[in-house]
Amino acid sequence: MSALLEISGLSVEIMTTRGLINPVREVDLTIEKGMAHGLVGESGCGKSVTARTILGLHERRLVRVKGKVMFEGKDLLSLSEKEMEKIRGRRIGMIFQDPVAALNPLFKIGDQIAEVFTRHFGDSRAAAKKKTLELLERVGIMPAEARYNQYPFEFSGGMLQRVVIAIAIAAGPPLVIADEPTTALDVTIQAQILDLLQELQRELGLAILLITHNFGIVSEMCDVVSVMYAGMIMETGNKNDVLLNPLNRYSKALIDSIPSRGAAGQAMRTIPGTPPELFDHYEGCPFAPRCETTMGICRSKRPQLEALAPAYGERHFAACHLPTFTFEKEAIGD
């Protein structure tokens, strides 16, 4: 395994009309080459802000960022806007949550995809069109020649998402960030989009950072998963390690709240309370006010992301003062 993207100590402060907010707090995250990494958490926990920070999509005069985002030997946070323009699309692709907002309604679909080839590779319009037609067919948009000259309003939601995926992979980037790529789609179309992403990952050897709140998607698509809460990474590790044996109390509560087939007629399990406000400053664990096993240290000292029980997985890390262990000692060879 070799790291493609390494985030260390990433903190983001954004000035708003209500004051300074802290949507991302000391995040450490590693994306391996060719791997699908799921970033999971409740709405508002900082997932999308993390993604946009990687690509430098914030209004710089209103945002203060600390830490490092290392990609191919460069700290993306230290690059100028002109340098980042060479990274976006060419080395890191982005699939936005809302394809309607991501596309320009005044330009034809084909022209918006072809721009990737003319901007990043200097292709002629004819060469760019030829590549675009091939790409449209590759993502399942046919007949490509007719679709090339259509506008976004002539496409369904699922087809627009395919267009956005085509733009994200057009330049052959080693990393694609997919921010809730199936949120606005019905279940059948969701499955088609996920199948397409998996197929493209296998064919192109892509690394994918998949941002979602759906553990079902993580279970289906990802190799590694990180659980985020209140701007912090609470747990990270191999998909099976985290989903089957969560060590962090928040991770466990989140997974326990997933409805199961055998629970018909039973009350759904929920997490009491609400997430902290982004304005809040806290000394201890952000989940402490909602946790059923809170101790004094949980409110006074922030837990660090570390390998709490190596026997559960060499690459399984969690930030918790009182981790939940589900294996018996005999089962882990102690």
Side-chain angles (χ1 to χ4, degrees), residues 250-263:
Y250 171 68
S251 300
K252 187 176 188 313
L254 199 61
I255 292 170
D256 286 346
S257 67
I258 300 173
S260 60
R261 292 182 179 179

Side-chain angles (χ1 to χ4, degrees), residues 59-77:
E59 178 61 59
R60 295 197 176 199
R61 63 189 181 85
L62 300 177
V63 177
R64 183 165 58 194
V65 181
K66 299 177 182 178
K68 289 186 176 181
V69 178
M70 299 301 298
F71 178 73
E72 296 183 330
K74 299 178 181 179
D75 182 4
L76 300 185
L77 300 183

Side-chain angles (χ1 to χ4, degrees), residues 66-136:
K66 299 177 182 178
K68 289 186 176 181
V69 178
M70 299 301 298
F71 178 73
E72 296 183 330
K74 299 178 181 179
D75 182 4
L76 300 185
L77 300 183
S78 67
L79 301 183
S80 66
E81 176 61 23
K82 187 174 182 179
E83 290 172 317
M84 282 302 301
E85 288 178 357
K86 298 177 182 179
I87 300 290
R88 300 186 194 115
R90 180 66 183 89
R91 305 305 298 161
I92 303 177
M94 181 77 178
I95 302 171
F96 291 96
Q97 182 173 350
D98 183 1
V100 176
L103 296 170
N104 191 322
L106 302 179
F107 289 88
K108 296 176 181 178
I109 290 295
D111 291 337
Q112 296 190 56
I113 300 174
E115 184 182 4
V116 177
F117 300 113
T118 56
R119 175 185 289 268
H120 291 293
F121 301 104
D123 288 355
S124 65
R125 293 189 63 181
K129 181 175 181 178
K130 181 181 178 181
K131 290 181 180 179
T132 299
L133 293 175
E134 294 173 352
L135 190 55
L136 285 172

